Amino acid sequence: MTEPLAPPTSPSPEAPARSRTRSRWLWFLVVGWAAQVLVRIASARGQVAPFVQPDESGYLVAARWLTGGPGADLSGSAFYQPGYSLLLVPAHLLADDPGTVYRLVLVTNALVGAAAFPLAFLALLRLGLDRVSAAPLAWSAALLPAASFWGQMAMADSVFTVVVLAWLLCLDRFVRTAALPAAAAANLLACYAYALHGRGAVILAVHAAAMAWHALRRERRRSVVALGMLLPGVGAALAFNSLVRDGLYPGGVLGLEGELWNRLTSWSGQMWALGTGAGQVWALLTATWMIGGVGAVVVVARLAHRDTAYEDRLLAAVLLAATSGVAYLTAAALPDEQRFGNHAYVRYLSCFALVYTLAGLAALVRTVRVARPALVATAVFACLGLLVWARVSRLPEDYGYLGHDFPEVGLLGGFWGGLRPLWTSLTASLLLLLFLGLRRLGPRALATGLLVVNALAMLVITAALARPGTTADVVPPGAPSGGVAIARPFGGHPNLFLIVRARTTFSVWWTELEFFDPRQGPPRPGVCSVVVNWPGGTALDATWPAHPQGWRARGAEMRSRKLRWAVWSSPGCPVRPGGTVRG
């Protein structure tokens, strides 16, 4: 006898309401992301050419080469890993003109960087906030200059914040649910970080260690499967890096292994690495308006407390290990470049700024007795500021200072010509005091205050670090035709050759930059322009004494670094009218 059919179950009356709620919040996230895109595009308006050289041109030229366009010989410079360049491929497919390409790149940065808002929203939910509180705080935090300023340049840092936050969220999801799709996403993001920048190697190593530890402590089978899934991604990242390195750096890259080994194996090297790494941490806390300092103290406390859940302790350990590893190894690997940026550089740790800021915001909203972590954070911050002051106060006056090394530090220090660590520390501590007062008025007041501070900071930083006179063209041919050659040897400081070569390579989009030795005579027939050094005290017409008859010179300079060079043009090629090219 067959069983009677069960009556159909009617859906719960709460199900449609939950579905409508989820739909409304999804639309809210989409609209919020679109608003973030518009704000980021507006903040980058007016930028038409690379400024941070040779970094920006290194990424841009790699993207052009990936589309089948002219490559370059970038041998001898740092290796600009192609993960970010992969995102710039559409810009090069849509346009050829360097100025147009650069604007499209900034739009790409905005589209990707704006994902910081929905990711921050999810992170705050994970940290225990409700949706109504998390939404405005996430939108305001996503505009933190440390998470948005680099979107005004063609730099991997413009998307690194999003990659790091997404990686941590996916890893957290896997640790809590053992869901293999979350593990696959975390693996993919860690491998992409490895292809994005050298700091990604630290993230990949920490990720693999976390997966291995989780396999030993909790989910052995699924964690082993996740580790197995990681191997193809690592292989793909290695292959992609090797492909671009072989294609654009045939003579090898600027190796830092020797410097790293010397620092790690000597007492003086250790002191340098630890002191410089501490300066990076001080700059990171400054860039978070010290909210991140509260977040860092809370993260350390969660790791140290025995009653903390295993999942929370593991993620705290992952975040702290990645942060300290990046700070220490980047400080140890980089040579002394005779500039203040060696002692308190924020860019390498800026990818963690939003994470610590979100942890700090959650603590400000949820923790009743937040004064204690705030006092601890302020005390540590003050000690780091004193250390930075002690280091930079002994530096010679001729040390180089680049404003773009210190966007938030220069802002809070009220000075763009040098470091003022003590004044900067005091200003950041006062900002934290402001946010402690706003928290008493509720999450919306806190979010409003953070939004106002971030908006004003971006306006001032963008205005103070503007690029007056920067042009996309530093080579004068008026049409995309003819060869372009650069002198080698170039003369002057080695960085001069790297910067001029990179900038010229990006501007010359129709052909690959050639090299010629001016001591051996003129370049090959068909070359329309020649780039040579312009030493101080030398007349422009004397920069290439053996130039062919009829060739004319124009000057070009990069005022931010006090660099000058000369561009000679053949009379048989079209020349763009105008005088000195400045940037």
Side-chain angles (χ1 to χ4, degrees):
M1 187 174 176
T2 60
E3 295 287 340
L5 294 175
T9 58
S10 58
S12 170
E14 297 180 357
R18 286 197 299 267
S19 177
R20 287 193 298 270
T21 301
R22 284 195 298 266
S23 178
R24 283 197 297 267
W25 278 105
L26 180 60
W27 275 109
F28 170 79
L29 292 178
V30 172
V31 172
W33 168 82
Q36 286 271 332
V37 170
L38 294 177
V39 171
R40 289 165 183 264
I41 291 176
S43 69
R45 68 186 186 281
Q47 313 298 354
V48 296
F51 179 80
V52 180
Q53 296 287 9
D55 304 51
E56 289 191 76
S57 290
Y59 292 116
L60 291 162
V61 171
R64 186 177 68 195
W65 180 74
L66 289 172
T67 65
D73 184 350
L74 302 178
S75 302
S77 64
F79 177 47
Y80 301 105
Q81 288 161 257
Y84 174 62
S85 300
L86 193 63
L87 299 178
L88 310 186
V89 165
H92 286 275
L93 292 175
L94 292 172
D96 291 321
D97 172 68
T100 304
V101 168
Y102 196 73
R103 292 185 184 93
L104 290 174
V105 166
L106 298 183
V107 172
T108 302
N109 289 348
L111 293 171
V112 179
F117 162 60
L119 292 173
F121 176 74
L122 295 176
L124 288 175
L125 293 182
R126 165 64 192 86
L127 291 170
L129 271 63
D130 59 84
R131 291 174 177 174
V132 175
S133 300
L137 287 170
W139 204 89
S140 300
L143 291 180
L144 195 74
S148 58
F149 171 71
W150 301 105
Q152 300 181 14
M153 307 169 200
M155 302 276 285
D157 306 86
S158 61
V159 299
F160 220 143
T161 294
V162 170
V163 173
V164 168
L165 183 53
W167 163 62
L168 289 171
L169 287 171
C170 292
L171 182 60
D172 177 76
R173 177 75 174 175
F174 171 70
V175 169
R176 296 179 187 282
T177 66
L180 286 179
N187 287 344
L188 179 63
L189 289 163
C191 292
Y192 179 69
Y194 180 55
L196 193 63
H197 194 273
R199 288 165 285 172
V202 177
I203 290 176
L204 181 59
V206 171
H207 175 78
M211 286 291 194
W213 177 261
H214 192 57
L216 294 174
R217 294 296 302 273
R218 287 291 191 273
E219 290 286 342
R220 182 181 302 273
R221 183 177 64 85
R222 287 178 177 264
S223 295
V224 169
V225 172
L227 281 171
M229 295 162 56
L230 180 63
L231 295 178
V234 174
L238 285 170
F240 190 34
N241 284 344
S242 298
L243 173 69
V244 176
R245 185 187 295 112
D246 294 343
L248 298 180
Y249 302 82
V253 301
L254 177 63
L256 301 175
E257 296 82 3
E259 191 74 44
L260 177 62
W261 177 253
N262 291 335
R263 293 262 171 77
L264 296 180
T265 55
S266 67
W267 174 255
S268 60
Q270 287 290 340
M271 292 299 98
W272 169 276
L274 292 173
T276 304
Q280 290 187 26
V281 174
W282 173 79
L284 171 67
L285 299 183
T286 301
T288 64
W289 318 135
M290 272 300 288
I291 298 175
V294 176
V297 171
V298 171
V299 171
V300 172
R302 299 285 280 180
L303 176 63
H305 204 286
R306 292 184 177 181
D307 294 336
T308 303
Y310 161 79
E311 295 83 1
D312 290 342
R313 295 185 73 182
L314 178 58
L315 265 294
V318 165
L319 176 57
L320 293 173
T323 306
S324 57
V326 169
Y328 176 71
L329 291 176
T330 54
L334 292 178
D336 185 358
E337 299 174 298
Q338 305 293 306
R339 75 185 201 188
F340 284 94
N342 285 119
H343 300 275
Y345 196 37
V346 70
R347 183 168 68 89
Y348 292 138
L349 293 183
S350 63
C351 55
F352 301 105
L354 181 57
V355 179
Y356 285 107
T357 300
L358 294 173
L361 288 172
L364 291 178
V365 173
R366 298 188 63 211
T367 305
V368 176
R369 297 180 179 178
V370 76
R372 181 178 298 177
L375 286 174
V376 173
T378 304
V380 173
F381 183 58
C383 292
L384 293 174
L386 286 172
L387 175 62
V388 173
W389 174 78
R391 288 172 64 87
V392 302
S393 62
R394 300 196 303 265
L395 297 178
E397 294 183 359
D398 60 349
Y399 254 53
Y401 180 90
L402 298 178
H404 283 78
D405 288 350
F406 308 103
E408 300 89 359
V409 170
L411 171 69
L412 297 189
F415 186 56
W416 301 98
L419 285 180
R420 292 179 174 175
L422 301 183
W423 180 252
T424 300
S425 300
L426 176 61
T427 309
S429 300
L430 291 176
L431 274 178
L432 177 59
L433 187 62
L434 168 67
F435 292 122
L436 287 174
L438 289 173
R439 71 180 285 268
R440 295 179 175 273
L441 302 177
R444 291 186 179 180
L446 182 60
T448 302
L450 181 58
L451 178 60
V452 171
V453 171
N454 286 342
L456 291 176
M458 279 301 296
L459 287 174
V460 176
I461 290 172
T462 302
L465 303 180
R467 316 176 200 177
T470 299
T471 63
D473 300 314
V474 295
V475 177
S481 62
V484 180
I486 185 170
R488 189 166 63 177
F490 197 75
H493 193 278
N495 283 344
L496 173 63
F497 175 69
L498 294 177
I499 291 171
V500 175
R501 180 186 62 178
R503 183 165 178 172
T504 307
T505 298
F506 170 66
S507 298
V508 181
W509 59 267
W510 62 89
T511 185
E512 185 170 340
L513 184 66
E514 305 175 29
F515 300 100
F516 88 108
D517 188 342
R519 300 170 301 183
Q520 304 298 323
R524 66 166 181 83
V527 170
C528 288
S529 302
V530 163
V531 182
V532 298
N533 187 17
W534 184 5
T538 303
L540 181 61
D541 291 340
T543 54
W544 186 21
H547 66 272
Q549 185 177 4
W551 283 57
R552 294 186 177 182
R554 298 173 68 203
E557 65 177 341
M558 192 171 183
R559 285 172 287 181
S560 62
R561 297 203 177 188
K562 300 178 182 179
L563 303 178
R564 300 194 308 171
W565 62 98
V567 181
W568 288 82
S569 304
S570 168
C573 298
V575 178
R576 189 188 308 277
T580 301
V581 180
R582 301 181 182 274

